[in-house]
Amino acid sequence: MDRLLEVKNLKVSYNTWKGKVRAVRGLEFHLDRNETLAIVGESGCGKTAAVKALMRLMESPAGEIEEGSGIFFEGRDVLAMDKKELVRLRGGDIGMIFQDPMASLNPTMKIGDQIAESLMIHRKLKKKEAQAEAREMLRQVDIPDADFMAQKYPHELSGGMRQRVMIAIALACRPKILIADEPTTALDVTVQAQILELMGELQQKFGTAVILITHDLGIAAGNADRIHIMYAGQIVERGRTEELFSNPVHPYTRALLHSTPKIDSKQKSVLYSLAGSPPDLMHSIEGCPFSPRCGNSKDICRESLPETAKISETHQVMCWKAVREMGGGEL
Amino acid sequence: MEKLAKEQKTSYSRDAMRRLRQNKVAMASVFILLFISVMCIIGPYLTPYDYAAVDTSALNQAPGAQHIFGTDNIGRDLFARIWMGGRVSMLIGLLGALVVTVIGVLFGGISGYFGGVLDDIMMRIVEIMNCVPYLILVILISLIVGQGMGALIIALAITGWGSMARLVRGQVMQIKEQQYVLAAQALGAGPARVIAKHLIPNIAGLLIVEITFDIPVFIFGEAFLSFIGLGIQSPGTSWGALAASAQQLLMFYPYQIFFPSLFISLTMLAFNLLGDGLRDALDPRLRH
Amino acid sequence: MLKFILKRLGYMLITLWAVITVTFILMHAIPGDPMSNLARNLPPQTRANYYAKYGLDKPVAEQYVIYMNNLLHGDMGESLKYPGRDVKKEILRYAPATARLGLQAIAIGLVFGIVLGIVAAFKRGKWPDYVVIIIALLGVSVPNFVLASILQFVFSVNIPLLPATGWGGFAYTILPSLALSASALAVYARIMRASSLDVISQDYIMTARAKGVSSLSLVWNHVIRNAILPAVTLMGPMIANILVGSFVIESIFAIPGIGSNFVMSIYNRDYTMIMGMTIFYAAVYMLAVLLVDIAYAAIDPRIRIYGSRQ
């Protein structure tokens, strides 16, 4: 099957003591074999909540996936999976790496054992075999002197190496999908490039599809086949990377692109920043969530949620202006 | 500058008081402690019997109309004895905590403020004291100073100031690096003035919490000593002494141990809960 | 690691020497100098032997040297109340009962305290959590002699299930061990609950869940290993509590251990016994603390390498 992941109308909310935060509001996307999908958005737009929901990793009772959401892995309904199937999904079919590798590794467990643990659960290996395979995995992620390093603890490694270990853990069981939640945000710039390169290599090697979560359009541009721009819990623009960069339609996308400092900009030019801030996800939002910050906002934008305009088979935008321009006629 | 600091401090303590008043458990503890304290004061007057009066015709009587808490093995009214004993236990708890605080603040303050060799020596002393379980030290000192309320307070306090000293020392070392202390010193304030006016008001909250937790430790300590035979001697009594002598008759007259045990436990519980409440009120960030 | 142990062992011996010295000074500060006094009531020949052996007519400083010398040869002196009874022999005679009682109490307090604490953390806000919190509060506030009395009354008097006093088979150890373990159990439940709550909210638990780690394995390999670290630091005070608690518990349950004999020695004002037992307790306690420090370094790899958690 080529379609690995199908997400329909995903709604995720968190019950906090201040109220209910609707972090994800009707997300729709899919992921096919061998491709890299980037989900780009600011912090707080709901992207982490969305991917945690994919493997039902939210902390209940605080977090819940609302009725009417649909998550399908290789056609199977994730939300209907029992415990055994979920365990196989987590780590076995889908691997995940997180933003802060120091906090994401167990400080009292040797890194070799942390990789081996995954192998013992999913590939049912005995301890010795799993440890040997773990060392092999360390070599795959370019960690030198793997036999020696396998005995080390997370705090003895540098940030870049820790992230490599996380990648090793996530890919140890050759999952079909790798979800990388801001994998390079906590790393130095030089290390960032190395890690992304490594991920690309391994993806080719193992044939893994990747969902890359990032707030950095540059990273998305360099590594993804398709990009989804997320804002206030929804995807406002989606398309192939080339399409998005050559023809960004949604005002938020354009603002994001605009605010990236360019290497050839004039010395004295002011850095562009988008005025305003993202809406509070605790309240329900009337109309287009971006309208308060949009220069072209009209009445209809404030009143109802925009429909999706199809710019091409692969390029869609959720914006009234685009809808009007595609369909012709006045707003 | 000082007025501003004072204003800020007042609103901080007002906030803390408000938080404390909202804490139902802590407030309940306060009421229980107030009730027990009042009873300790007026209790002995509420009964016609003197706490030391022996009555051979009323030995080991169960609680009844005549003697609300019953009588002991030589006919003394237990109601009167419980409240007289309560006076001793509570006083030892309060005074002991106070003395320990004074010693601890002096020791910890000096040690933390001056640092260096003085600090090293003082901390070594605390360390050596920590090598022997506290109550064993108390027993040894008690053998020297004898029995009686004053002696007991000395025995309990002279060995128990270690944790208070360490707490104060830690705080002092932190605070003395702060700007306003350096400013005061630059203006010519001597160490005593700096310690008194700047350091102590800032650790007052922590001290209050620590004192509240220390009191039950001393109440328990006194009861413990009574069980060892080193507590208050007859005709004086304390909750611990009452419990200790009632222990031997447990099989036959369980009510005799019931009341002293109840009040020791209740008082210790109330102080512990109050301490928790105070700690939450003074620094809500520490709450989970 | 070995260097770490040797260093701490050396440090321990120095502090033990300091403690012995202070104890000696305290014993000789007792008004009336009973150390010398009681010996004066002995029959002349025995008295002469005593004086010769312990130098009771010599200045305190010399007596100290003699005492230390004897101590290094394993001689703790004789009982003042029962001359001829060797202090060391008495201690060793009663040690097994105390050891058994103490170890059982530690085991109960540790195991049940940790289990209750973890259960409370995972069921936060629900009834098991409240039950554990109440148990923890009571364990800290209700003195162990009160608990001992209650246990005796309920399980020996009301329901004649277990023996109230004495020492024999396993049945005799149940009530005293329970009473002795109460404060340890309470402290451990409380700290494990707090520590587990903290660990559960950490990122690496999310990583483990994303790996598909089962609940049981999660608790054992990830939660306990990290949550238990603060609990280990509390073992020192807990052991002190149990040591000291044994005085009262052994007395109440009439158990022939060092604790009840220590209490008897105090009653008898048998100062050589008191001193010998104090030194014994101090040594045991310091050894226990050392073992705990070693265990702490063994469990937390960060301590082993850096000496602290930073």
Side-chain angles (χ1 to χ4, degrees):
Chain A
M1 174 180 286
D2 262 359
R3 178 133 301 182
L4 287 177
L5 191 66
E6 183 90 51
V7 175
K8 290 191 192 324
N9 195 24
L10 179 63
K11 293 202 186 101
V12 180
S13 52
Y14 286 96
N15 297 312
T16 69
W17 59 287
K18 269 202 189 139
K20 196 172 189 175
V21 178
R22 275 175 235 100
V24 183
R25 299 161 180 239
L27 208 66
E28 304 239 338
F29 68 91
H30 64 87
L31 184 70
D32 292 331
R33 200 172 288 278
N34 276 327
E35 65 169 346
T36 300
L37 166 69
I39 300 184
V40 179
E42 299 166 78
S43 41
C45 71
K47 44 196 209 284
T48 302
V51 290
K52 276 195 189 166
L54 293 178
M55 294 203 280
R56 290 166 61 184
L57 280 174
M58 301 85 51
E59 295 87 313
S60 69
E64 56 178 292
I65 302 178
E66 308 252 11
E67 279 285 322
S69 308
I71 305 174
F72 299 90
F73 176 75
E74 289 188 327
R76 286 155 31 217
D77 185 358
V78 172
L79 296 176
M81 282 184 179
D82 63 22
K83 242 197 159 98
K84 220 169 105 181
E85 294 172 308
L86 256 187
V87 162
R88 208 180 57 167
L89 185 76
R90 293 177 184 160
D93 293 323
I94 304 181
M96 189 157 171
I97 61 179
F98 301 89
Q99 180 174 329
D100 183 357
M102 184 65 233
S104 303
L105 290 171
N106 187 336
T108 58
M109 211 177 185
K110 294 184 190 155
I111 59 173
D113 290 335
Q114 296 195 46
I115 304 175
E117 186 178 29
S118 193
L119 291 163
M120 289 194 281
I121 295 172
H122 297 285
R123 302 240 296 258
K124 305 280 190 275
L125 296 179
K126 296 268 187 344
K127 192 156 182 201
K128 282 269 191 283
E129 296 171 337
Q131 284 172 332
E133 183 70 27
R135 290 195 286 271
E136 182 53 42
M137 209 50 220
L138 284 175
R139 276 175 222 118
Q140 294 273 6
V141 296
D142 292 333
I143 286 188
D145 204 355
D147 295 330
F148 178 65
M149 292 307 256
Q151 302 301 314
K152 295 268 163 209
Y153 291 92
H155 63 279
E156 299 179 84
L157 272 55
S158 70
M161 285 209 280
R162 281 181 224 136
Q163 197 59 296
R164 289 173 195 270
V165 172
M166 289 244 36
I167 295 174
I169 295 175
L171 293 178
C173 301
R174 309 288 187 267
K176 303 204 176 80
I177 301 179
L178 171 69
I179 304 177
D181 188 355
E182 306 261 18
T184 54
T185 310
L187 303 172
D188 297 334
V189 174
T190 45
V191 180
Q192 278 184 17
Q194 288 172 9
I195 296 294
L196 289 169
E197 206 184 301
L198 175 68
M199 280 173 61
E201 275 171 28
L202 292 175
Q203 181 187 12
Q204 289 275 13
K205 208 170 185 177
F206 299 145
T208 319
V210 174
I211 302 178
L212 178 64
I213 317 278
T214 178
H215 62 268
D216 187 334
L217 264 178
I219 290 180
N223 295 280
D225 302 314
R226 291 188 293 131
I227 300 182
H228 288 359
I229 308 284
M230 195 162 170
Y231 187 81
Q234 284 159 350
I235 296 179
V236 297
E237 182 162 6
R238 63 184 81 209
R240 301 203 61 79
T241 311
E242 323 80 66
E243 287 177 306
L244 219 75
F245 278 89
S246 57
N247 181 25
V249 175
H250 198 280
Y252 180 57
T253 316
R254 297 166 72 101
L256 279 179
L257 280 169
H258 211 112
S259 51
T260 312
K262 292 182 192 30
I263 200 159
D264 55 350
S265 60
K266 292 198 284 279
Q267 264 303 46
K268 294 249 181 82
S269 59
V270 175
L271 273 181
Y272 171 78
S273 70
L274 180 62
S277 48
D280 183 355
L281 291 176
M282 198 134 44
H283 307 121
S284 56
I285 299 172
E286 293 285 316
C288 174
F290 192 70
S291 57
R293 299 165 92 179
C294 179
N296 293 319
S297 148
K298 302 272 187 284
D299 285 336
I300 190 171
C301 302
R302 286 181 280 274
E303 284 159 22
S304 34
L305 193 65
E307 289 164 10
T308 307
K310 251 182 154 179
I311 305 190
S312 79
E313 266 310 305
T314 46
H315 188 177
Q316 281 122 40
V317 183
M318 198 177 79
C319 172
W320 282 123
K321 181 159 175 278
V323 167
R324 179 192 62 167
E325 280 166 6
M326 288 294 109
E330 289 296 313
L331 264 170
Chain B
M1 171 84 163
E2 274 189 31
K3 181 158 174 257
L4 192 69
K6 232 189 223 158
E7 274 171 6
Q8 283 178 327
K9 196 180 62 174
T10 323
S11 66
Y12 167 68
S13 28
R14 236 181 306 159
D15 267 344
M17 279 308 293
R18 181 178 48 87
R19 274 193 290 266
L20 187 67
R21 257 176 281 134
Q22 286 171 342
N23 183 337
K24 281 178 265 188
V25 171
M27 288 282 88
S29 305
V30 171
F31 286 131
I32 292 179
L33 289 172
L34 279 174
F35 173 73
I36 292 180
S37 307
V38 164
M39 285 306 289
C40 284
I41 300 175
I42 66 171
Y45 302 116
L46 294 179
T47 170
Y49 305 99
D50 179 65
Y51 80 98
V54 173
D55 182 0
T56 44
S57 70
L59 301 180
N60 293 318
Q61 280 190 354
Q66 288 263 305
H67 297 274
I68 308 178
F69 285 172
T71 62
D72 68 1
N73 65 336
I74 54 176
R76 292 179 289 200
D77 176 46
L78 284 179
F79 186 83
R81 284 182 78 66
I82 285 277
W83 300 120
M84 285 304 284
R87 288 184 192 180
V88 172
S89 294
M90 291 288 267
L91 268 176
I92 290 183
L94 289 164
L95 288 177
L98 228 67
V99 173
V100 146
T101 303
V102 167
I103 301 178
V105 166
L106 276 173
F107 213 84
I110 294 176
S111 183
Y113 188 78
F114 291 107
V117 176
L118 190 61
D119 180 35
D120 280 339
I121 297 177
M122 288 179 142
M123 283 301 109
R124 288 302 143 257
I125 297 177
V126 173
E127 258 183 65
I128 294 183
M129 271 172 50
N130 272 350
C131 285
V132 183
Y134 167 60
L135 285 166
I136 294 184
L137 282 176
V138 173
I139 291 176
L140 292 179
I141 304 284
S142 187
L143 288 171
I144 300 177
V145 296
Q147 296 164 258
M149 206 162 93
L152 283 180
I153 293 180
I154 292 178
L156 288 165
I158 226 173
T159 44
W161 48 264
S163 62
M164 180 68 83
R166 248 201 279 195
L167 179 79
V168 172
R169 172 183 177 269
Q171 287 298 303
V172 165
M173 287 176 94
Q174 251 186 7
I175 297 176
K176 78 174 178 177
E177 301 303 324
Q178 307 257 5
Q179 294 285 43
Y180 58 88
V181 174
L182 294 172
Q185 287 171 325
L187 287 174
R193 186 187 166 85
V194 172
I195 293 178
K197 287 220 88 169
H198 295 279
L199 298 175
I200 298 200
N202 279 287
I203 62 176
L206 277 160
L207 285 184
I208 293 177
V209 173
E210 192 72 11
I211 293 177
T212 311
F213 280 123
D214 271 343
I215 296 175
V217 171
F218 291 123
I219 294 181
F220 174 78
E222 181 278 313
F224 176 83
L225 286 174
S226 296
F227 262 81
I228 306 280
L230 290 170
I232 301 282
Q233 295 297 330
S234 252
T237 188
S238 69
W239 283 333
L242 288 168
S245 48
Q247 170 70 37
Q248 283 139 11
L249 299 169
L250 172 69
M251 305 293 160
F252 312 105
Y253 309 110
Y255 67 88
Q256 287 185 18
I257 201 171
F258 174 74
F259 291 106
S261 302
L262 174 71
F263 287 113
I264 294 177
S265 309
L266 203 58
T267 308
M268 283 176 69
L269 184 66
F271 272 115
N272 277 326
L273 289 173
L274 181 59
D276 271 340
L278 280 168
R279 189 171 47 197
D280 278 347
L282 287 166
D283 190 355
R285 285 172 292 150
L286 291 175
R287 197 191 275 142
H288 289 293
Chain C
M1 187 67 165
L2 193 62
K3 214 166 53 172
F4 174 76
I5 298 180
L6 285 175
K7 201 169 87 167
R8 300 282 280 107
L9 206 61
Y11 196 65
M12 181 189 121
L13 286 170
I14 298 178
T15 10
L16 184 61
W17 167 81
V19 168
I20 295 174
T21 307
V22 170
T23 313
F24 185 88
I25 296 174
L26 288 176
M27 286 292 97
H28 284 266
I30 294 175
D33 193 14
M35 298 287 272
S36 319
N37 259 344
L38 277 173
R40 250 168 245 157
N41 295 326
L42 296 167
Q45 188 52 38
T46 331
R47 198 204 309 162
N49 286 344
Y50 248 64
Y51 271 59
K53 197 164 171 199
Y54 301 113
L56 292 177
D57 50 348
K58 303 212 177 75
V60 178
E62 264 196 70
Q63 290 190 40
Y64 173 67
V65 176
I66 297 175
Y67 187 83
M68 286 307 292
N69 196 28
N70 286 341
L71 200 60
L72 282 167
H73 289 99
D75 178 8
M76 286 177 128
E78 292 168 27
S79 159
L80 274 182
K81 176 83 181 186
Y82 306 107
R85 266 199 211 169
D86 184 68
V87 168
K88 192 179 73 174
K89 280 215 186 79
E90 291 293 291
I91 292 179
L92 289 175
R93 194 169 123 201
Y94 295 116
T98 301
R100 176 154 183 195
L101 183 65
L103 289 171
Q104 271 179 212
I106 292 178
I108 295 176
L110 209 62
V111 170
F112 283 95
I114 290 177
V115 166
L116 283 176
I118 294 182
V119 166
F122 276 96
K123 298 258 179 262
R124 184 187 193 170
K126 305 199 192 107
W127 69 263
D129 189 15
Y130 289 121
V131 167
V132 171
I133 293 180
I134 292 179
I135 292 179
L137 268 175
L138 289 176
V140 161
S141 311
V142 174
N144 53 11
F145 48 81
V146 170
L147 184 61
S149 311
I150 297 176
L151 287 172
Q152 265 185 332
F153 189 68
V154 171
F155 291 103
S156 296
V157 177
N158 260 2
I159 323 164
L161 187 65
L162 292 164
T165 56
W167 194 246
F170 177 65
Y172 288 91
T173 67
I174 298 180
L175 292 182
S177 303
L178 277 175
L180 194 53
S181 70
S183 65
L185 194 150
V187 166
Y188 271 105
R190 192 168 202 196
I191 190 107
M192 276 313 282
R193 178 184 174 274
S195 184
S196 301
L197 282 175
D198 182 54
V199 165
I200 291 174
S201 67
Q202 295 290 330
D203 286 346
Y204 55 84
I205 298 294
M206 179 58 70
T207 306
R209 290 178 64 211
K211 278 200 297 202
V213 175
S214 72
S215 301
L216 202 63
S217 181
L218 190 76
V219 170
W220 184 251
N221 285 325
H222 296 269
V223 175
I224 291 190
R225 257 201 220 185
N226 286 283
I228 208 156
L229 295 169
V232 175
T233 56
L234 280 182
M235 275 208 81
M238 186 200 73
I239 291 175
N241 267 341
I242 289 188
L243 270 179
V244 160
S246 71
F247 302 170
V248 172
I249 297 294
E250 284 181 19
S251 305
I252 292 180
F253 286 95
I255 295 174
I258 304 180
S260 53
N261 277 282
F262 188 57
V263 175
M264 271 321 266
S265 305
I266 293 172
Y267 182 74
N268 291 332
R269 298 297 192 258
D270 188 344
Y271 294 109
T272 41
M273 267 297 199
I274 293 175
M275 181 149 163
M277 287 179 169
T278 302
I279 294 174
F280 177 75
Y281 277 124
V284 166
Y285 178 60
M286 284 194 252
L287 195 64
V289 170
L290 178 62
L291 288 173
V292 168
D293 281 345
I294 294 176
Y296 193 63
I299 296 178
D300 188 346
R302 289 167 284 186
I303 304 282
R304 241 182 288 161
I305 298 168
Y306 300 128
S308 75
R309 280 178 97 169
Q310 266 60 55

